[in-house]
């Protein structure tokens, strides 16, 4: 009789473990929808900003839905080159997903972040709707002698 009672308890415990294994974890339930890799009209995208003798360019190539490879070049009063891989920013706040175009209208952008070191972060904001503009924002510690312009850069036609 004791063996039958013990066997019943074992069967119930095994059934509970199987049921728990089949349910997705809380992390799996909270996953955001999958994002498709953006398909720009050309690859790589090249954005430029010319202001007097100052020239700044950004080249972007998409690796996967959340990662880009970029190259930044600045010349004029100072010279600077940056390159690396940036990933979609993990933080969002109201208004973070929009920039203004030349007409002052809000446009949707995707923000990618590159951390060069503990003090230097570069954010690349790209118009992934019409692919016409991009902006660069960097922390002040990145290069005190040669800051990148935060003005909108226009897509260079190839």
């Amino acid at each position: 009789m004791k063996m039958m009672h013990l066997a019943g308890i074992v069967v119930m415990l095994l059934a509970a473990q199987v049921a728990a294994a089949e349910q997705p974890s809380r992390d799996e339930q909270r996953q955001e929808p999958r994002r498709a890799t953006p398909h720009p009209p050309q690859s790589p995208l090249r954005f430029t900003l010319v202001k007097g003798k100052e020239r700044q360019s950004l080249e972007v190539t998409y690796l996967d839905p959340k990662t880009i490879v970029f190259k930044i070049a600045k010349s004029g009063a100072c010279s600077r080159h940056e390159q690396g891989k940036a990933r979609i920013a993990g933080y969002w706040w109201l208004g973070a997903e929009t920039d203004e175009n030349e007409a002052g209208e809000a446009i949707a952008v995707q923000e990618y972040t590159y951390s060069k070191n503990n003090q230097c972060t570069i954010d690349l904001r790209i118009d992934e709707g019409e692919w016409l503009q991009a902006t660069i924002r960097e922390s002040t510690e990145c290069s005190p002698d040669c800051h990148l312009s935060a003005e909108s850069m226009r897509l260079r036609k190839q």
Side-chain angles (χ1 to χ4, degrees):
M1 187 66 144
K2 289 183 182 179
M3 289 297 275
M4 292 294 273
H5 184 63
L6 182 61
I9 292 173
V10 170
V11 168
M12 287 186 348
L13 287 174
L14 288 174
Q17 285 180 341
V18 168
E22 291 176 1
Q23 294 179 351
S25 69
R26 288 184 184 170
D27 291 337
E28 291 175 39
Q29 291 173 356
R30 292 184 204 164
Q31 278 184 339
E32 61 186 65
R34 289 188 174 252
R35 183 177 191 268
T37 302
H39 294 289
Q42 61 199 40
S43 186
L45 290 170
R46 290 184 177 92
F47 299 94
T48 58
L49 173 66
V50 178
K51 211 171 173 188
K53 294 184 180 184
E54 298 280 321
R55 183 173 189 83
Q56 180 172 293
S57 65
L58 168 66
E59 182 177 296
V60 175
T61 304
Y62 287 86
L63 292 182
D64 62 42
K66 295 185 177 188
T67 311
I68 61 171
V69 174
F70 70 92
K71 293 179 185 177
I72 300 171
K74 182 172 182 175
S75 61
C78 63
S79 181
R80 183 168 169 199
H81 298 277
E82 298 282 349
Q83 64 182 25
K85 285 184 186 178
R87 294 196 44 83
I88 286 183
Y91 55 88
W92 284 96
W93 61 92
L94 189 59
E97 65 282 351
T98 61
D99 273 347
E100 284 187 11
N101 63 11
E102 290 175 345
E105 303 165 332
I107 59 165
V109 295
Q110 182 63 62
E111 183 172 288
Y112 297 84
T113 300
Y114 168 70
S115 295
K116 185 174 180 178
N117 56 43
N118 289 342
Q119 288 100 17
C120 178
T121 302
I122 299 173
D123 297 317
L124 308 167
R125 298 168 60 83
I126 303 169
D127 162 21
E128 291 183 352
E130 296 186 23
W131 310 97
L132 295 177
Q133 77 178 41
T135 55
I136 301 173
R137 296 181 184 167
E138 66 177 333
S139 54
T140 55
E141 295 83 9
C142 284
S143 181
D145 299 334
C146 192
H147 272 299
L148 298 171
S149 174
E151 291 185 44
S152 293
M153 303 170 69
R154 305 300 298 166
L155 180 67
R156 188 174 82 197
K157 303 291 181 189
Q158 293 181 350

